[in-house]
């Protein structure tokens, strides 16, 4: 076991110093770009399923409240004529059936995308571990004299897991949810641009304040967790590896204390980080409820019909059920990406 101190260089001498986050991210994922591109196409397909499904909810609710409303939608009239559906009952069954089938297909597609996403993440982790291990075994002996063995264990076990679980998966879900939110926003702008603009301002302001607040916190938490996880590995390695000498010298205390202190610091940092990840969910729920109350009162005061209000709210509610977790996931993904910046630097340096 190497016992030298870990000297990877100061911030100004590291290969990762000054390199943009995205460039480091793409470099580490260089061998998986084809899979990433194919996964992106699947994300777009699922987003289109979402938009079409939600687009049918408004006419369906409107038709339940007022069957004559179906005749005011030219696209639906043309659709019914082609199928020979002329009664209200048959038209409602057609819309409901189409809505059910599309929802089921969207669920299957979303599951397959998640399956592929997890496969991509774990395959990346396995390939990166093999690449690092192969590289470490081929390095000259002098390379090992300047780094503690805990640094190698930290990179192979902890940093690859962090990159896979806390950066790759959240970043891909960020793209998926971003596409979904974008397509649904375009649809809602077509339905009611004024309400969509108001909702966008409220959600955008909340998201911006959240990111601004949590970014420095999660950056610090990521560094603290990585550094102290290495302290734990080093303490265990040196304590167990030198147990004979430690017993003779009765020096168990310092090794135990090193691991204990690092573990306690890690626990606090991880608690803070994971608590911030769930905050967007409750924040966005509050914003959505506030929007529905304000929009309903505005429509009522403007003298619009209850039928129009219900149909519009139904579409906004359905879209909100998809957008709300999407925006929450976007917020959490951004926090995770900041949290993983230190681990990404370490991986980028060693892979280079």
């Amino acid at each position: 076991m190497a016992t030298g101190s870990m000297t990877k260089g100061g911030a100004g001498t590291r290969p990762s110093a000054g390199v943009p986050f995205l460039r480091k991210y793409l470099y580490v994922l260089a061998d998986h770009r084809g899979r990433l591109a194919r996964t992106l196409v699947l994300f777009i397909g699922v987003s289109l399923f979402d938009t079409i499904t939600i687009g049918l909810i408004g006419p369906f609710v409107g038709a339940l409240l007022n069957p004559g409303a179906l005749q005011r939608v030219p696209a639906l009239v043309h659709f019914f004529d082609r199928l020979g559906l002329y009664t209200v009952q048959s038209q409602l069954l057609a819309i409901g059936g189409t809505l059910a089938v599309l929802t089921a297909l969207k669920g299957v597609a979303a599951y397959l995308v998640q399956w592929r996403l997890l496969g991509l993440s774990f395959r990346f982790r396995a390939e990166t571990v093999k690449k690092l291990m192969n590289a470490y075994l081929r390095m000259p002996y002098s390379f090992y004299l300047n780094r503690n063995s805990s640094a190698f264990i930290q990179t192979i076990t902890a940093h690859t897991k962090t990159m896979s679980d806390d950066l790759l998966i959240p970043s891909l879900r960020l793209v998926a949810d971003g596409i979904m939110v974008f397509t649904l926003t375009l649809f809602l702008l077509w339905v009611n641009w004024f309400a969509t603009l108001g909702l966008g301002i409220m959600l955008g302001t909340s998201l911006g304040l959240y990111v601004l607040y949590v970014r420095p916190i999660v950056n610090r938490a990521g560094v603290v967790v990585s550094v102290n996880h290495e302290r734990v590995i080093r303490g265990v390695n040196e304590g167990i590896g030198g147990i004979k000498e430690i017993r003779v010298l009765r020096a168990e205390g310092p090794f135990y204390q090193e691991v204990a202190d690092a573990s306690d610091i890690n626990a606090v940092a991880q608690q803070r980080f994971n608590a911030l990840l769930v905050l967007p969910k409750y924040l966005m729920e509050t914003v959505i409820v506030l929007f529905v109350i304000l929009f309903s009162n505005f429509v009522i005061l403007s003298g619009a019909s209850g039928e129009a209000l219900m149909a519009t709210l139904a579409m906004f509610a359905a879209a909100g059920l998809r957008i709300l977790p999407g925006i929450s996931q976007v917020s959490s993904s951004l926090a995770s990406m900041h949290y993983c910046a230190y681990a990404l630097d370490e991986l980028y340096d060693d892979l280079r």
Side-chain angles (χ1 to χ4, degrees):
M1 180 180 69
T3 57
S5 61
M6 186 182 74
T7 57
K8 297 190 74 168
T13 61
R14 296 179 59 159
S16 58
V19 180
F21 181 94
L22 182 60
R23 183 176 171 184
K24 289 182 286 190
Y25 178 81
L26 293 177
Y27 180 86
V28 172
L29 291 169
D31 296 338
H32 303 270
R33 290 179 184 176
R35 294 173 186 165
L36 287 172
R38 291 190 291 273
T39 304
L40 179 62
V41 173
L42 293 176
F43 288 160
I44 295 173
V46 172
S47 296
L48 292 176
F49 261 123
D50 265 329
T51 305
I52 294 171
T53 303
I54 291 171
L56 287 173
I57 290 177
F60 185 68
V61 172
L64 290 175
L65 296 172
N66 179 11
L70 292 174
Q71 305 305 315
R72 296 199 293 268
V73 183
L76 286 178
V77 172
H78 179 69
F79 174 71
F80 294 144
D81 287 343
R82 288 181 64 86
L83 295 179
L85 303 174
Y86 301 109
T87 65
V88 173
Q89 290 81 0
S90 62
Q91 292 171 358
L92 286 174
L93 284 174
I95 295 177
T98 303
L99 190 57
V101 170
L102 286 176
T103 302
L105 289 175
K106 187 207 71 174
V108 172
Y111 175 78
L112 292 176
V113 168
Q114 291 301 315
W115 174 271
R116 185 178 182 86
L117 176 61
L118 292 172
L120 173 63
S121 173
F122 294 129
R123 174 52 52 191
F124 159 79
R125 183 178 174 186
E127 294 295 335
T128 305
V129 166
K130 289 187 287 186
K131 183 185 293 187
L132 287 167
M133 190 63 186
N134 182 59
Y136 288 154
L137 291 175
R138 295 173 182 272
M139 295 298 288
Y141 183 72
S142 59
F143 176 75
Y144 294 92
L145 299 178
N146 296 320
R147 293 179 66 182
N148 193 288
S149 60
S150 61
F152 301 114
I153 299 172
Q154 166 85 343
T155 301
I156 287 181
T157 61
H159 289 335
T160 54
K161 183 178 186 300
T162 297
M163 180 73 187
S164 169
D165 298 354
D166 298 326
L167 181 56
L168 180 56
I169 290 180
S171 64
L172 291 178
R173 284 179 175 159
L174 171 66
V175 173
D177 291 320
I179 293 172
M180 180 269 295
V181 170
F182 177 74
T183 55
L184 288 179
T185 300
L186 290 180
F187 170 72
L188 292 178
L189 284 170
W190 176 73
V191 172
N192 189 317
W193 69 268
F194 180 76
T196 305
L197 184 62
L199 179 59
I201 291 173
M202 293 174 67
L203 289 175
T205 302
S206 301
L207 178 60
L209 291 174
Y210 169 80
V211 172
L212 187 66
Y213 170 71
V214 304
R215 179 175 180 175
I217 298 175
V218 296
N219 275 342
R220 288 195 300 271
V223 174
V224 168
V225 169
S226 293
V227 170
N228 285 280
H229 187 269
E230 185 178 335
R231 284 180 61 195
V232 171
I233 294 173
R234 185 169 60 246
V236 171
N237 268 349
E238 295 176 352
I240 302 301
I243 189 63
K244 186 182 296 184
E245 294 84 353
I246 291 173
R247 287 287 176 84
V248 170
L249 298 173
R250 296 184 177 180
E252 296 92 341
F255 291 93
Y256 166 79
Q257 199 60 49
E258 175 74 2
V259 173
D261 290 345
S263 298
D264 288 340
I265 293 172
N266 258 358
V268 174
Q270 289 176 327
Q271 178 189 18
R272 183 179 295 115
F273 168 66
N274 285 281
L276 287 172
L277 287 186
V278 301
L279 181 60
K281 177 178 182 293
Y282 305 110
L283 179 63
M284 298 305 158
E285 284 178 356
T286 303
V287 172
I288 290 288
V289 170
L290 182 60
F291 163 77
V292 170
I293 294 172
L294 292 175
F295 178 68
S296 300
N297 280 281
F298 175 80
V299 171
I300 292 171
L301 292 174
S302 66
S305 67
E307 173 197 329
L309 173 62
M310 289 301 295
T312 302
L313 279 180
M315 282 189 285
F316 269 85
L321 289 175
R322 291 293 298 120
I323 290 176
L324 178 59
I327 293 179
S328 297
Q329 186 62 54
V330 166
S331 306
S332 299
S333 297
L334 289 172
S336 288
M337 291 169 72
H338 290 304
Y339 174 78
C340 298
Y342 182 84
L344 177 62
D345 287 346
E346 298 280 300
L347 267 180
Y348 176 80
D349 290 347
D350 276 12
L351 288 174
R352 285 179 63 85

